[in-house]
Amino acid sequence: MSTATGGTEVGVRELSYAEAIREALRQAMHADERVILLGEDIGVYGGAFGVTDGLLEEFGPERVRDTPISEAAITGCAIGAAVTGLRPVVEIQFMDFITLAMEQLVLQAAKMRYMFGGTVTVPMVLRTPAGAGTGAAAQHSGSLEAWFAHVPGLKVVAPATPADAKALLLAAIADPNPVIVVEHKLLYRTRGPVPEAPAPAPLGVAAVRREGRDVTVVATSVMVPRALTAAERLAAEGVDVEVVDLRTLRPLDAETPAASARKTGRVVVVYEAVKTLGIGAEVAARLVEGETFYHLKAPVVRLGGAECPIPYNRTLERAAVPQEEDIVAAVRQVLAEG
């Protein structure tokens, strides 16, 4: 058993987000020989962001398979492997290229369990880096999670911390349904406490990352640490912000944001994807459809990405997605309205 160091809990170490994902994969592969990895350059190269580094040497080429450059073929192979008894974990190098696997995910993986009356399950995971901030431009910086969260039969998770990156991935691998894990590229090097034990976190359960009394900020993925930083800036002005991390986009935990909204009366929803028809619209709709509406002191504010592809120019790229100062301004806006 690990020992506590530096005041941390016994069995809890500080890992990077990428290291936490690798540990989840390693533990899942040791626990279940049906778990295999598929993807472009995940073996010898260790993945586009180094997440699978060392796993080929540890588990061999039968379980860590470098594939040809065809996202549709990789995903189709994973679906077939899942239906016939394996538990594949696919890596798509950039979320933008998940578009090439759309037919396999939406028409096949998502629907098989329904079409065959529950006699077939598709226990596969698709991991994919997403988001802006690395200067990778329009075809390597997308945040397309809302497309897949719209589809019955798919589950979509977006961990914001290293601990959740491990715990939610373990839960995804154990799930009998296809799960898409959206990993923001800027989070890979972030560090935080991660339990050594392989403890899955339940899918569909949000977390309150910071308690507050004045405004609720509902955030996803990389927007969670930005919201927490914004909350500290606002605290210096006497504004007490509560930050809710959705963690899972489908199934969506609507009650945790609603409970927070009933306490604060004011809500800002922040996410990186394009604002129109995004996750923020769903969260806002859930809040105003029910009894929570009568607790609101001001209209819900949605803060999403600009209505354009992510620019290559770094200044424009930064302007295209919400930053800490944008969250601060949105909180001030909702306070001014009620």
Side-chain angles (χ1 to χ4, degrees):
M1 177 181 290
S2 300
T3 58
T5 58
T8 57
E9 184 181 343
V10 172
V12 176
R13 308 76 23 89
E14 185 171 282
L15 298 179
S16 73
Y17 188 95
E19 290 168 341
I21 295 168
R22 189 183 309 129
E23 183 168 87
L25 293 171
R26 178 180 291 114
Q27 290 179 346
M29 295 178 78
H30 276 297
D32 188 344
E33 64 180 11
R34 298 174 300 171
V35 178
I36 63 170
L37 309 184
L38 302 170
E40 299 160 9
D41 291 331
I42 64 165
V44 175
Y45 187 62
F49 294 89
V51 171
T52 54
D53 187 35
L55 298 181
L56 172 65
E57 292 77 7
E58 187 170 352
F59 294 98
E62 288 295 312
R63 297 183 68 191
V64 181
R65 295 207 167 199
D66 279 321
T67 65
I69 303 175
S70 173
E71 287 76 11
I74 301 166
T75 307
C77 288
I79 294 169
V83 169
T84 53
L86 297 180
R87 288 186 173 270
V89 180
V90 171
E91 177 178 302
I92 299 294
Q93 285 189 339
F94 294 89
M95 192 173 198
D96 309 76
F97 304 130
I98 202 172
T99 52
L100 295 161
M102 197 84 172
E103 189 275 339
Q104 291 293 325
L105 287 168
V106 175
L107 292 188
Q108 309 302 331
K111 296 182 177 178
M112 281 188 177
R113 182 166 63 85
Y114 298 97
M115 293 173 67
F116 291 96
T119 60
V120 170
T121 59
V122 188
M124 64 165 284
V125 174
L126 187 149
R127 301 177 33 250
T128 186
T134 62
Q139 294 176 324
H140 296 74
S141 304
S143 296
L144 307 179
E145 56 272 14
W147 294 13
F148 298 94
H150 182 71
V151 178
L154 295 179
K155 296 182 179 181
V156 182
V157 302
T161 68
D164 266 2
K166 177 180 177 180
L168 292 172
L169 177 56
L170 287 170
I173 293 171
D175 200 280
N177 300 290
V179 182
I180 296 174
V181 180
V182 182
E183 302 163 357
H184 198 288
K185 296 191 286 287
L186 293 185
L187 294 174
Y188 280 133
R189 294 185 179 180
T190 61
R191 302 186 70 82
V194 179
E196 185 174 357
L203 303 183
V205 179
V208 176
R209 299 298 185 192
R210 184 186 193 279
E211 294 191 355
R213 65 175 184 277
D214 296 325
V215 179
T216 297
V217 175
V218 181
T220 68
S221 187
V222 75
M223 293 301 152
V224 174
R226 289 180 189 172
L228 290 169
T229 303
E232 292 306 312
R233 288 175 56 180
L234 287 159
E237 303 173 11
V239 178
D240 197 10
V241 174
E242 182 150 301
V243 177
V244 175
D245 175 2
L246 284 180
R247 302 170 84 204
T248 304
L249 307 183
R250 188 183 187 96
L252 180 67
D253 176 2
E255 177 51 31
T256 299
S260 181
R262 291 194 291 271
K263 179 172 70 172
T264 66
R266 306 175 184 90
V267 178
V268 173
V269 189
V270 57
Y271 50 106
E272 178 166 320
V274 171
K275 178 179 177 180
T276 300
L277 295 171
I279 190 66
E282 183 65 28
V283 172
R286 299 285 185 102
L287 292 173
V288 302
E289 282 177 338
E291 187 265 344
T292 302
F293 171 78
Y294 299 102
H295 295 262
L296 296 177
K297 302 171 184 175
V300 176
V301 172
R302 288 182 295 143
L303 183 58
E307 306 290 331
C308 65
I310 298 298
Y312 177 65
N313 177 281
R314 298 302 291 264
T315 301
L316 294 177
E317 179 189 36
R318 190 178 189 280
V321 298
Q323 305 294 332
E324 292 163 16
E325 60 268 25
D326 301 312
I327 300 171
V328 169
V331 169
R332 288 172 178 159
Q333 176 189 337
V334 76
L335 280 168
E337 292 180 354

